[in-house]
Amino acid sequence: MANREGFNLDRLGQWTEEQEFKVEREQTIAYAKATNDPIAAHLEGTYAPPVFAVVPVTAIMADATMGVVPDELMMRILHGEHDFRIHRPIEPGEILTVRAKPIGIEGKDSGVVVTTLMETRSNRGDLVNEQYFIGFFRGGTFDGTVGERSPEHSFDASLRDRQPDFSAVQTFDEDQTFRYSEPAGDPMPIHLDDDFAKAMGLPGIIIHGLCTIAFTSHALLSQLCPDDPGRLKRLAVRLSKPALPKETITSRFWNTGEGTYAFETVGDEKPGKFVITDGLAEFA
């Protein structure tokens, strides 16, 4: 079929083999500190921060997502969207079992979108979280859509007609990416090597997208339930533009009823820069 050559469509809907991950208390605390998380339960190691949920699945998520695209596209991947469905917080000391499956491919004007679903279960047998990862492969071509899209979380533009219910202003540290890389298990050089990042067409080292998501998560928790972070049940975003070290971001949150908040995050590197769009959070 035109513009589908090299794509491994037979892998859609196929789970990877399961992998185990031991949750070390020191790593969850390091992750909290690396994301400037102020929540006591995270800094004390009672619970892992919500966005830490990506750490056990990072390798398997990448393998499942890149396994459906031609070899020449693999290194063109960008983190487009992420949707966390949190059944309960991860607890240090437990052993998790993770698996992933690519569920959809869609051609866009500027590249190819691959959607991957991940599941995390504990040694107790319960489902801890589900995550949808949307990988965008720059410059690829694919005709049409095959499989499923991730669940919707679009922003209602009419919300901007009223003031947000609350806002958060946060600034990334100069060494944020270096502190984040190890506990997150993400050593990609665009976050650590200025010359390499510029060679990739970036302005320099960029903040990990998941670090940015973590900042918005604890902005929400600090405002709504600092003593009970397990109330966060869903966190979904679209990563629009990368943030930079030392950049200040401002997130605006609107209460849309029944424990649901819509949000978006702007950076101050240049006017009109959106770092996160289509943000959605749900609380129990």
Side-chain angles (χ1 to χ4, degrees):
M1 188 176 292
N3 289 337
R4 291 189 179 181
E5 186 175 352
F7 288 87
N8 301 309
L9 300 182
D10 58 331
R11 296 191 182 182
L12 289 180
Q14 301 298 313
W15 289 108
T16 61
E17 291 187 7
E18 294 181 343
Q19 296 180 4
E20 284 193 348
F21 183 91
K22 174 68 180 295
V23 183
E24 301 289 354
R25 183 171 181 268
E26 293 78 9
Q27 187 179 11
T28 69
I29 293 172
Y31 190 92
K33 291 179 178 178
T35 56
N36 299 7
D37 191 328
I39 302 299
H42 301 157
L43 293 171
E44 295 165 359
T46 304
Y47 298 124
V51 178
F52 181 86
V54 77
V55 177
V57 304
T58 294
I60 203 169
M61 175 178 77
D63 289 347
T65 304
M66 292 193 286
V68 299
V69 303
D71 291 349
E72 63 269 19
L73 286 186
M74 287 185 179
M75 296 310 293
R76 298 185 190 176
I77 189 171
L78 293 173
H79 195 160
E81 300 181 35
H82 209 104
D83 188 344
F84 295 87
R85 305 297 186 93
I86 304 165
H87 297 281
R88 68 163 174 84
I90 292 172
E91 298 175 13
E94 65 181 338
I95 297 174
L96 303 175
T97 300
V98 300
R99 63 177 184 167
K101 66 176 177 181
I103 61 171
I105 305 178
E106 182 179 3
K108 299 282 191 180
D109 289 342
S110 53
V112 178
V113 172
V114 176
T115 301
T116 300
L117 171 64
M118 292 82 69
E119 282 187 356
T120 299
R121 297 181 182 272
S122 79
N123 51 351
R124 308 172 198 168
D126 63 319
L127 183 61
V128 179
N129 63 67
E130 300 159 280
Q131 301 172 55
Y132 290 88
F133 168 78
I134 291 81
F136 178 70
F137 294 86
R138 295 171 295 164
T141 57
F142 184 85
D143 278 348
T145 301
V146 178
E148 306 173 42
R149 292 186 175 98
S150 63
E152 189 62 48
H153 56 92
S154 59
F155 184 86
D156 180 357
S158 69
L159 289 171
R160 299 191 191 104
D161 294 336
R162 65 176 172 91
Q163 289 296 309
D165 290 276
F166 61 94
S167 300
V169 179
Q170 301 163 299
T171 301
F172 294 106
D173 298 322
E174 187 171 9
D175 65 347
Q176 199 86 54
T177 62
F178 297 93
R179 289 166 38 223
Y180 182 84
S181 180
E182 185 174 352
D186 188 343
M188 286 186 65
I190 56 173
H191 306 298
L192 303 171
D193 185 321
D194 206 55
D195 291 337
F196 181 88
K198 289 175 179 175
M200 293 294 103
L202 297 165
I205 286 173
I206 61 172
I207 299 292
H208 299 75
L210 285 153
C211 182
T212 303
I213 300 171
F215 268 59
T216 63
S217 74
H218 61 68
L220 281 156
L221 293 173
S222 295
Q223 178 72 30
L224 299 174
C225 51
D227 298 325
D228 190 8
R231 284 181 51 204
L232 179 62
K233 296 303 179 185
R234 185 183 181 191
L235 183 66
V237 303
R238 184 169 77 86
L239 293 163
S240 185
K241 297 285 185 183
L244 306 179
K246 300 193 290 184
E247 185 168 6
T248 295
I249 58 172
T250 301
S251 300
R252 303 196 301 163
F253 302 91
W254 287 265
N255 184 343
T256 56
E258 298 182 349
T260 300
Y261 290 80
F263 66 95
E264 52 190 15
T265 303
V266 298
D268 68 349
E269 177 210 1
K270 55 187 176 183
K273 175 185 176 181
F274 279 89
V275 176
I276 285 177
T277 56
D278 297 325
L280 175 66
E282 295 175 0
F283 289 81

